[in-house]
Structure formats: structure tokens, C-alpha cells
Amino acid sequence: MRISWLARRWCSSPAPSVPTQVTSPSVDTHFITECDVVRKRTGADFVVGRRVCLEWEDSDPLLRLRRRARLRWVQPPGKILLVKKWKCSATTKAASFVISWLAARGLEVLVEQNCVNDFPTLPVRPSTCGPSEQIDLIVVLGGDGTLLHASRLFSTRSHGPLPPCVTFGLGSLGFMANFSFDKWSSVMERIIKTETPLHATLRTRLLCQLKDQNQEVIHAQKVLNDLVVCQATGSGGIGKFKLFIDNHFITLIEGDGVIVSTPSGSTGYNMSCGGAMVAPSVPCTLLTPIAPSSLSFRPILINEQSVVEIVLPTQARAKMAQTVCDGRKIPDLLPGHRVSITTSKFPLPVINLQQLDHDWLDGITNKLKWNQRGANQSDDDYEV
């Protein structure tokens, strides 16, 4: 992997030292030459890839969130993973244009094993998405579901840092798809140039671990959007789950369930259940109840460093609860079992069209139609 990122995780460590010379906007540049995970004595981790140059975009050096960045290629990308919307002829046709364009520039193109036969005349080879492949760039053609699928390809515990990802909207909504396919060639031309800085957001992922009564991990998976714990189908009655944060008992959840979401997932199921919409650069975890039986059980945001645990009590009437990661069901939660949620050390670097959170802000106004209404008279008097 020829490009990656640096994301710092804060626990109770002291504030980092600030460089004495800072340009405007301030730049904190790191050059990484080997792939490794360096652990600091205080517990804060550096997640690094090899051969990377990263510049933080936040202007205040004391308030950097380590999410909004500019990426620069140290060497030209050589290996591209193309992930397309499944069983969609229009997307397959679009992917053929992209593959031919990349191959003509000497780039190696990989696709998923089940998509190889979609391109019989094009120079593609199947990908295992394993760490040894050292993929330089992920190109996603589809909507938000396709981006979640691309992240899921790198969700096993053996995977280290993820390559940067660029998404072209070819789905139904594509809230996280920052680029229109109409201008794909000019966008790709800019992305593969080594001298061009790329705006990116390191999108938080959650590590979800299903554990038995002996704390043995039954299942582990990383999610980009959310984890949902809810009543099993046909169980009846009110679901009851114990909620712990940082080993501290918080409350007994009574209702249909709870959503544990990343900022990226805040505009999905979380929003439908009354949770807040949160910009992807905010380092937090969202907890949102699903149809709670108490009016006082409201959605909350907590520090991303906190460990969240949801336990199905041994005395619960329900003999199981469903756990769903990014819309995909995983093994059920049995009485006495728990699901532990922590922030993954390996976020997904998503390349943006604009700097900071401008793409996200445009998305909630243009795609989700946030605060738009049918007015009987013009609001020109209030325009800036």
C-alpha cells in the first residue's frame, strides 16, 4: 500500500506537543516508511501505513480532531480495487469504462471474485482483499450500500490500515458518495497524480465483538455505519438489555433495542429513530434507543474512546436477541452473552470533493433536504 494515513487515539494521555512553527493553515506532516502499529506508553496508538504523507486540515493546532486531512501520494498508485454495485448492468457498463481507462495508464485492476466474469475481455484479476495484496486505492461504483460492502471486505481482525477510497454515486441516494459519475475521468486523473493533495475524511469504524459468558469472542466484525441489538422476531413483550459504558453500569434498556452508531451512520437508522445527525469528522459514538418504553430514554453521544457493552440478562424472558452489523445479521445474542463495541484503530479514509465537512453539509441539504420547506413567499430578504 503506497498511501495511508495517521490517526491518533486519545485515552487519558497528556496533550501532544505543538510544533513551534505553524503555517496557515497549520500542517502536521508525517512521513511513514514502514507498515507497523506503534504503541505509546500512555496507551494512545499510532495507526500507520507505509510511505505516506498526511497533512491535517483543521486550522487550530490545539483542536485538531485527527479526522480531516489532506493525503499526498509519495509514489504513484499501482494497484486498484474496483468495487461495483452487484447485479446492476448499468454499473457493470460504467465499471468497464473505468477499468479500460485505468489499464491504459498501466494500473493493475482487481475486482471481487464473483465479478470477474462480468469483464471477460478486460485485464482484471480476482482479489482476496487480504493484507498481502497491498491495495493502493479503492474505487467504489454505487451507493452507500456498496461503500458499506467495500468496508466489509476489510472487516476481519487480521486487516490493518485500509487504503483510501473514492466513491462515485450510481445508487439510489448515495449520501456518502461524494463524486458524480458524470465527471469520473477528470476526478480519477486528479486522484492518481502524485503532486495533487486530496481532501479526505478518516471515517470512524467500530469493532464489534460478540462474547459468551466466559468472555470468549464468538464473532468479531468492523462496521462503518452501525450495530443494532434488538428483540428477536416473534419474541414478544418488551426487550430488556443491560447497558455498560467503560465497565460502569448505566441503565437497563427496555424497548425494542438500541443502535450504536458511528458519525457516518448517524444519517441512517439512527436518524430514523430520532438520533442526531453528526458530521463524520466528529470523534464520538452515538447511542440511540429503538422504541423505548420510557419517555426519558433519549439518544446520547459519548466519547469514541469509551467501551460500550450491551448484555442480554440471564433472567431475560427472551431467549435470544438479534445483532445486526451494517444491515447484515451476525450470530444471535444469547442470555448471559454480551456485545462489546470499541472504536477501531483502522478508519476508512474517504476522499472528498471539498475540504473539511463541506461534502457532508451539502449532502444533508441537497440529498436529505434538511430544513427545506414549501414557502408561500420568497426568503430573499434573509439571504446572506
Side-chain angles (χ1 to χ4, degrees), residues 311-337:
V311 181
L312 180 61
T314 54
Q315 68 274 22
R317 293 181 180 178
K319 299 305 179 183
M320 67 177 64
Q322 291 183 342
T323 48
V324 182
C325 290
D326 277 351
R328 299 290 181 91
K329 193 174 180 297
I330 64 173
D332 290 327
L333 199 64
L334 302 179
H337 290 195

Side-chain angles (χ1 to χ4, degrees), residues 1 23 49 117 137 171 270 286 296 307 369:
M1 183 168 54
T23 58
N117 294 334
L137 177 69
N270 165 80
L286 295 85
S296 61
V307 178
K369 310 301 181 183

